[in-house]
Amino acid sequence: MVQRVFRLIVLFVLVTALAACSGRMAMEQTAPTGMPKSDPLNGSAAESLWQMAVTAQENNQLAAAGRYLERALYMEPDSSWLYRELAELRLREGDAQSAEMMAQRSLRLAPPQPAYQSALWQLIATARLRQGDSDGAARAQAEVAKLKRR
Amino acid sequence: MSTPRKSPSKKKSAAKKTAPRASVSPRRWRRLFWQFSAVMLVVGLLALAWLDALVRQRFENHQWQLPARVYSRPVELYSGRELNEQNLQQLLELLRYRQDGTAREPGSYGRFSGGVLLHTRGFRDSDGGESARLLRIRIDSHRIGVLTDGAGKAVPVARLEPLQIGSIHPGHSEDRVLVRLEEVPPLLVHMLMAVEDRSFHEHHGISIRGLTRAVFANLRAGEVEQGGSTLTQQLVKNFWLTRERSLSRKLVELPMALLLELHYSKAQILETYLNEVYLGQDGGRAIHGMGLAAQFYFGQPLAELKPHQLALLVGLLKGPSYYDPRRHTERSLQRRNVVLQAAAGQGLLDDKALSHYRNTLLDVVPRGSSALYAFPHFIDLVRRQLGRDYPPQVLSSEGLIINSTLDVLAQLVAEQKLSNFLKTHEKLNGAVIITAPDQGDVLALVGDKLARRAGFNRALDAQRPIGSLAKPAVVLAALQQPKKFHLGSVTTDGSFEVRMEDGQVWQPKNFDNQALGPMPITEALAQSRNQAIARLGLDVGLGEVIRTFQKLGVQSRIPPYPSIFLGSLNLSPFETAVMYQTIATGGQRTPLRAITDVLDRNGQPLGRYPVRPEQAFDAQTGFLLQWAMRQTMTRGTGRYAVNQLPESLIVAGKTGTSDGLRDAWFAGFSGSHLALVWLGRDDNGDTGFTGSSGPLRIWTSIMAELPQRPLRLAPPQGVEMVWLDADGLRRSGKGCDGAREYPLLTSSIPSEASTCGKVQSVPGGIKKWFKGFFD
């Protein structure tokens, strides 16, 4: 019992310290748009293509937006953000399977930011649900919950 | 009873016989004449109405037979892009840019100290395409350092227009590039009229004056300088009639020309003429229209042609075969100069320009040098993939724009490296495929050491045993049973026999006829040990291995024999690349695509071929297999490549050699490119090469020339680097005897630890500690 109380105290101290740090880290690592600062897209030529993709989506030109993002990914294949954008676009186009695959790639390249990763798992959960994979969606939701607890 | 009636009838008939002679009168002749005239008028009117309907129906409903055109991937230009000066020059030459210092017009470029000023041509794409623009490119250490527009303003990204690499016309042999009248150089139209029809804008389809003038002009010139038919008549001949010269055809031609002029404007007639006129023959392909002729003879768009080139096209109208500039240079030159002279006579060229262009060479590009024929094996792939979605009729006539995945620079590298290697091996041939794993794009495909030779496409159609290229599938099948196998698990390299159902005995042998005994799976793969991998395959199960091949994307029938563990499985290089593609993506099966999108003739998107991967196995297992294949490169049969390539370039791959050295393979990948090389003989004889001594060399030289990105080293979540004992059964410490470090799935990490060294903590240590709170 004494050991358990001791562990709880240690944990409380650790969590408090981490919370203070993570708030600061989130501010430092995340660009205003939600793009992780560590993402190679930041400041690259591909960023201008991503911006064109955003404009194309706003004008409902989804095919054009897809091409912009694919071109951008050729330039910056390690950009988790671009894969995430492509996943969201595919979901919007009704191609849930591709959306899930792109989100998986995004996750593989994602920086260790729980909020960002949790959003990706949420995207995977939605894509799986749309494919009729409720078990897979539940597993993805469990990952979301796990990340939110961090 | 009948006799009394006979005699009067005889009399009547006699009277009848004599009657016409008696009744021939001018009045009756007149009547007959009017009757005949009325009939002829009706027939004439009906014929005219029929011709009118024919002219209108054909002209208005005419669909140009426009074959689908295939374009390469446009080259992206942006600061930081790997591109050396030689590559840029190669691209400009392929796209037939003219060097003119100031790059005033699209399709031209100039050089300045440290860079190139170029004026790109515009094009349509499913994302809207690009407008023609002036760009200033500065190259620093094999990369684009600075990219600005003509005014010096930074340009984030721009594209060179795609190269047309082929046209697909399965149903007929006509080809053309449609041009609008406003895109046609005015000088061409003026030259055309000066030579073919000076009174085009005055006549109504036929011109007596023009005919007379042509006769006199030709008499004066001593040769046929001007034609007698108007452009309208020529169009009628081209459009509706046969080439036969007969009076009856002439009788039809004249009213049709008049009718055409009655219904349509001069501009419509001229535009149709410019697109319809026959200008040459390219094997089985008829060259129609000025647009295609400009590409065919000069490799440039019509709008970019100079006066002497336009004059050549106009001169060709008189006899495309007789004046063929490639076969009859002198004759063609004379004819061109006749046209230039006629143009000068009309005030279209001054004396100085006339003299300059008369003394200019023909500037015709050599036959077959056009990119249109350069990549027959890649086009073959495009045709097959298109054939799944579009019927032949649509492909041959709708003028579709096919944007392909071909990376021209990668293709040229692949061709050159294969042919260089095989230069001294007459009987050998080969195939190379390069893909971009993440997108599944086929960047290059070579199906013959003579890359321009159309014919047997070895990349797609050679079905050959893949040899040890099958081994990663066996290892993958094992890794998919994480409770039984991990990369440190031991298999045995030793002789054994398998008795098959049909009574035959299979006894795998090693290439060196040695048996090395127990060894980790990773080592068995790296050293390509046949007996060790065959043993592993049996432990995993034949069915599991077959299922793994299928998961990887193999669609061909896989024979249910254990010999498939060692690659007695016939696949084409392309299908083998599909299989390796899944490995290169780390588990996502991405169908290989040669097409990104299809547009209609107006540039509107019709069909898309987006990247559509499927999960074949999880990313963690994918990482493990890639890691094992990296060991092949660092200390196994692929060592040669690592010694040649930059240290920072992390690659993975596998060699393959079939029985009797009949086939030699190498398939390997970096983070950005997968390349597969196959060598073999068409008579299935001994190549004299193993995967290491032949294809690996070619592969290395190709990878060294491509802009590369290394494979990712960091293990994904769920994979940890763990030191294991030599037998792979216990955790161990760095430096312990026989201990090796492997990436393992968390679920595969042995719970037991050896006593040697500082043993790594297993997940479960700190995790267990934290878990205590929640249990």
Side-chain angles (χ1 to χ4, degrees):
Chain A
M1 185 63 197
V2 175
Q3 196 185 9
R4 192 175 170 86
V5 170
F6 171 71
R7 282 180 176 181
L8 278 170
I9 292 166
V10 173
L11 181 70
F12 177 76
V13 172
L14 277 173
V15 166
T16 314
L18 273 171
C21 290
S22 66
R24 193 177 163 76
M25 274 164 65
M27 278 174 70
E28 280 172 0
Q29 287 187 352
T30 310
T33 54
M35 183 196 302
K37 254 196 170 171
S38 56
D39 198 282
L41 185 63
N42 262 321
S44 73
E47 191 174 4
S48 65
L49 288 173
W50 166 66
Q51 277 162 356
M52 288 184 219
V54 171
T55 311
Q57 283 199 70
E58 282 165 5
N59 296 328
N60 212 27
Q61 296 168 325
L62 302 189
R67 281 285 285 161
Y68 285 130
L69 291 175
E70 285 189 8
R71 285 173 58 200
L73 271 163
Y74 252 96
M75 296 176 188
E76 295 298 343
D78 287 336
S79 167
S80 169
W81 180 259
L82 281 176
Y83 275 119
R84 176 186 144 141
E85 292 287 292
L86 193 55
E88 283 181 343
L89 175 71
R90 296 292 181 239
L91 205 57
R92 202 175 150 190
E93 288 178 316
D95 186 354
Q97 186 198 314
S98 295
E100 185 192 341
M101 295 297 108
M102 294 302 133
Q104 294 273 20
R105 287 186 185 182
S106 177
L107 199 59
R108 172 85 175 82
L109 298 162
Q113 290 176 23
Y116 182 75
Q117 292 190 356
S118 144
L120 283 170
W121 276 111
Q122 185 60 57
L123 193 58
I124 292 170
T126 311
R128 285 180 178 168
L129 212 53
R130 292 207 191 157
Q131 293 173 82
D133 176 12
S134 46
D135 288 350
R139 283 197 302 277
Q141 283 293 1
E143 293 289 339
V144 173
K146 212 193 284 177
L147 283 159
K148 279 190 175 160
R149 278 203 298 268
R150 280 192 200 172
Chain B
M1 290 262 309
S2 62
T3 326
R5 290 167 74 177
K6 238 180 182 178
S7 136
S9 86
K10 267 185 182 173
K11 273 181 195 166
K12 228 184 229 176
S13 79
K16 259 187 188 171
K17 273 180 187 171
T18 50
R21 244 178 274 156
S23 63
V24 173
S25 65
R27 199 173 151 195
R28 185 162 169 82
W29 271 117
R30 268 202 302 276
R31 207 175 77 200
L32 274 172
F33 171 78
W34 286 117
Q35 278 174 342
F36 178 74
S37 300
V39 168
M40 288 311 290
L41 187 68
V42 171
V43 169
L45 283 173
L46 281 173
L48 210 59
W50 178 74
L51 282 179
D52 188 59
L54 186 71
V55 165
R56 294 171 66 169
Q57 193 260 340
R58 179 82 199 272
F59 200 88
E60 278 160 26
N61 299 333
H62 181 64
Q63 288 280 322
W64 296 108
Q65 294 289 296
L66 291 176
R69 293 178 188 290
V70 187
Y71 292 89
S72 70
R73 170 193 301 281
V75 174
E76 301 271 2
L77 304 170
Y78 53 93
S79 176
R81 187 212 147 106
E82 215 170 290
L83 186 79
N84 60 34
E85 283 188 34
Q86 192 195 339
N87 292 154
L88 184 57
Q89 185 62 34
Q90 226 173 349
L91 286 168
L92 295 178
E93 279 170 20
L94 275 166
L95 290 163
R96 301 210 184 278
Y97 272 56
R98 296 177 316 280
Q99 186 162 10
D100 77 351
T102 53
R104 253 180 313 203
E105 293 164 354
S108 62
Y109 73 102
R111 293 196 172 276
F112 62 88
S113 165
V116 173
L117 177 70
L118 62 91
H119 201 144
T120 62
R121 301 178 179 119
F123 67 95
R124 297 295 301 266
D125 196 353
S126 58
D127 60 14
E130 300 265 336
S131 307
R133 67 196 303 190
L134 201 60
L135 292 173
R136 201 175 282 272
I137 302 173
R138 189 176 288 280
I139 306 241
D140 296 322
S141 350
H142 307 303
R143 284 178 189 278
I144 297 180
V146 184
L147 179 70
T148 61
D149 63 11
K153 191 179 160 214
V155 173
V157 59
R159 280 178 292 178
L160 279 180
E161 70 277 14
L163 184 67
Q164 192 189 335
I165 52 170
S167 55
I168 295 177
H169 37 86
H172 64 89
S173 55
E174 275 187 32
D175 197 2
R176 59 170 57 75
V177 172
L178 267 193
V179 286
R180 310 234 171 273
L181 192 56
E182 56 271 20
E183 299 160 1
V184 176
L187 184 60
L188 175 75
V189 176
H190 293 313
M191 279 181 173
L192 182 68
M193 288 177 193
V195 175
E196 296 290 331
D197 186 358
R198 288 192 190 171
S199 56
F200 177 70
H201 285 293
E202 286 94 54
H203 64 64
H204 298 286
I206 50 178
S207 167
I208 305 298
R209 208 174 58 181
L211 187 67
T212 319
R213 188 172 51 210
V215 169
F216 280 110
N218 294 341
L219 282 175
R220 264 201 313 273
E223 65 169 311
V224 183
E225 186 191 78
Q226 294 178 26
S229 296
T230 63
L231 289 181
T232 319
Q233 283 172 277
Q234 290 182 38
L235 176 61
V236 166
K237 273 182 241 171
N238 260 284
F239 217 34
W240 284 276
L241 305 173
T242 61
R243 290 180 191 281
E244 171 209 5
R245 284 167 185 264
S246 68
L247 184 66
S248 59
R249 206 203 66 175
K250 205 78 183 164
L251 283 176
V252 177
E253 179 191 305
L254 294 176
M256 282 180 94
L258 289 168
L259 287 166
L260 196 60
E261 291 267 351
L262 190 69
H263 291 300
Y264 305 103
S265 69
K266 290 283 183 188
Q268 283 172 297
I269 291 169
L270 191 58
E271 186 176 274
T272 310
Y273 178 92
L274 290 167
N275 284 301
E276 179 58 33
V277 69
Y278 172 73
L279 283 157
Q281 196 68 31
D282 177 29
R285 191 173 72 123
I287 307 296
H288 281 268
M290 295 289 178
L292 182 63
Q295 293 285 0
F296 179 62
Y297 291 111
F298 305 111
Q300 284 175 291
L302 183 63
E304 292 178 16
L305 297 192
K306 299 288 173 214
H308 65 292
Q309 296 168 310
L310 297 173
L312 178 78
L313 295 184
V314 173
L316 273 172
L317 290 168
K318 200 178 147 196
S321 173
Y322 188 76
Y323 293 108
D324 184 339
R326 295 194 181 100
R327 282 191 298 151
H328 310 295
T329 313
E330 194 51 40
R331 199 186 283 166
S332 179
L333 195 74
Q334 280 174 11
R335 176 66 191 157
R336 182 200 71 177
N337 289 348
V338 167
V339 177
L340 285 170
Q341 187 70 52
Q346 292 293 300
L348 301 171
L349 296 172
D350 59 26
D351 288 347
K352 196 176 156 201
L354 175 66
S355 161
H356 170 70
Y357 289 119
R358 277 178 70 96
N359 292 311
T360 305
L361 295 174
L362 286 178
D363 278 350
V364 171
V365 293
R367 193 191 188 103
S369 70
S370 161
L372 265 179
Y373 314 98
F375 315 115
H377 299 115
F378 181 83
I379 294 295
D380 187 15
L381 175 65
V382 171
R383 190 181 288 117
R384 294 184 202 197
Q385 293 197 347
L386 272 179
R388 293 183 210 148
D389 304 320
Y390 296 91
Q393 175 55 28
V394 172
L395 290 177
S396 63
S397 61
E398 303 278 311
L400 302 184
I401 298 166
I402 316 293
N403 289 324
S404 82
T405 55
L406 185 89
D407 178 331
V408 177
L409 292 175
Q411 173 74 23
L412 294 176
V413 167
E415 290 172 1
Q416 187 208 356
K417 300 299 177 189
L418 180 70
S419 70
N420 278 358
F421 189 86
L422 295 180
K423 216 179 277 174
T424 50
H425 300 90
E426 205 183 312
K427 289 189 173 168
L428 274 187
N429 214 316
V432 179
I433 296 163
I434 304 177
T435 74
D438 287 342
Q439 289 79 12
D441 288 353
V442 180
L443 303 178
L445 186 137
V446 188
D448 191 327
K449 64 178 171 182
L450 300 176
R452 309 276 169 270
R453 180 168 65 184
F456 184 47
N457 191 343
R458 290 162 191 81
L460 301 183
D461 296 326
Q463 295 283 329
R464 310 297 286 243
I466 62 172
S468 299
L469 253 52
K471 286 175 182 163
V474 180
V475 172
L476 178 61
L479 292 173
Q480 286 178 296
Q481 300 176 18
K483 294 213 174 348
K484 272 179 81 180
F485 301 99
H486 53 67
L487 289 175
S489 299
V490 167
T491 179
T492 305
D493 192 46
S495 179
F496 66 94
E497 287 181 0
V498 178
R499 188 164 294 278
M500 322 275 260
E501 278 177 11
D502 60 4
Q504 285 193 327
V505 175
W506 181 59
Q507 192 177 20
K509 289 199 163 33
N510 279 319
F511 191 69
D512 56 6
N513 286 318
Q514 310 257 317
L516 301 183
M519 58 170 53
I521 290 176
T522 305
E523 205 56 27
L525 185 68
Q527 304 301 336
S528 203
R529 304 302 298 175
N530 287 348
Q531 289 170 337
I533 293 290
R535 168 67 68 191
L536 178 67
L538 288 177
D539 291 346
V540 172
L542 181 58
E544 282 307 309
V545 174
I546 291 175
R547 268 189 289 283
T548 303
F549 273 119
Q550 288 162 341
K551 273 189 193 174
L552 285 169
V554 174
Q555 290 184 328
S556 296
R557 189 185 161 271
I558 302 164
Y561 303 120
S563 55
I564 61 163
F565 301 151
L566 306 180
S568 59
L569 161 68
N570 287 1
L571 295 181
S572 69
F574 189 79
E575 196 169 5
T576 316
V578 169
M579 177 179 147
Y580 270 73
Q581 170 79 10
T582 311
I583 298 173
T585 57
Q588 292 193 351
R589 186 172 52 245
T590 316
L592 289 181
R593 62 175 184 174
I595 305 161
T596 54
D597 50 356
V598 176
L599 314 179
D600 69 14
R601 67 170 76 177
N602 300 314
Q604 294 305 310
L606 268 188
R608 286 168 52 218
Y609 293 76
V611 184
R612 293 209 67 192
E614 294 170 302
Q615 199 72 48
F617 47 92
D618 59 73
Q620 288 76 14
T621 310
F623 177 83
L624 300 186
L625 183 61
Q626 286 189 355
W627 186 88
M629 291 170 73
R630 269 164 41 200
Q631 310 315 304
T632 304
M633 308 304 283
T634 51
R635 57 170 200 266
T637 51
R639 275 189 311 271
Y640 169 84
V642 171
N643 294 334
Q644 303 294 315
L645 295 170
E647 207 177 325
S648 58
L649 180 58
I650 312 296
V651 289
K654 186 71 196 81
T655 50
T657 313
S658 70
D659 284 347
L661 303 180
R662 289 193 187 95
D663 303 272
W665 300 81
F666 189 82
F669 46 90
S670 63
S672 53
H673 293 94
L674 160 74
L676 178 141
V677 181
W678 167 80
L679 292 185
R681 281 169 55 155
D682 289 345
D683 63 5
N684 211 16
D686 181 345
T687 60
F689 286 107
T690 61
S692 298
S693 65
L696 176 64
R697 312 282 159 137
I698 301 170
W699 183 90
T700 306
S701 60
I702 291 172
M703 294 296 265
E705 295 262 331
L706 300 175
Q708 292 288 0
R709 185 167 50 85
L711 272 173
R712 292 175 194 113
L713 283 173
Q717 278 185 341
V719 174
E720 293 184 35
M721 296 304 293
V722 180
W723 283 89
L724 296 181
D725 267 356
D727 61 9
L729 296 174
R730 280 167 301 279
R731 284 174 286 122
S732 183
K734 189 177 179 181
C736 291
D737 188 29
R740 278 194 184 161
E741 195 182 26
Y742 298 98
L744 299 185
L745 295 182
T746 315
S747 58
S748 301
I749 299 174
S751 51
E752 269 188 70
S754 80
T755 50
C756 166
K758 191 185 168 196
V759 174
Q760 283 172 289
S761 61
V762 240
I766 190 79
K767 278 187 186 168
K768 260 185 196 160
W769 194 83
F770 270 97
K771 225 176 154 214
F773 295 114
F774 305 105
D775 289 341

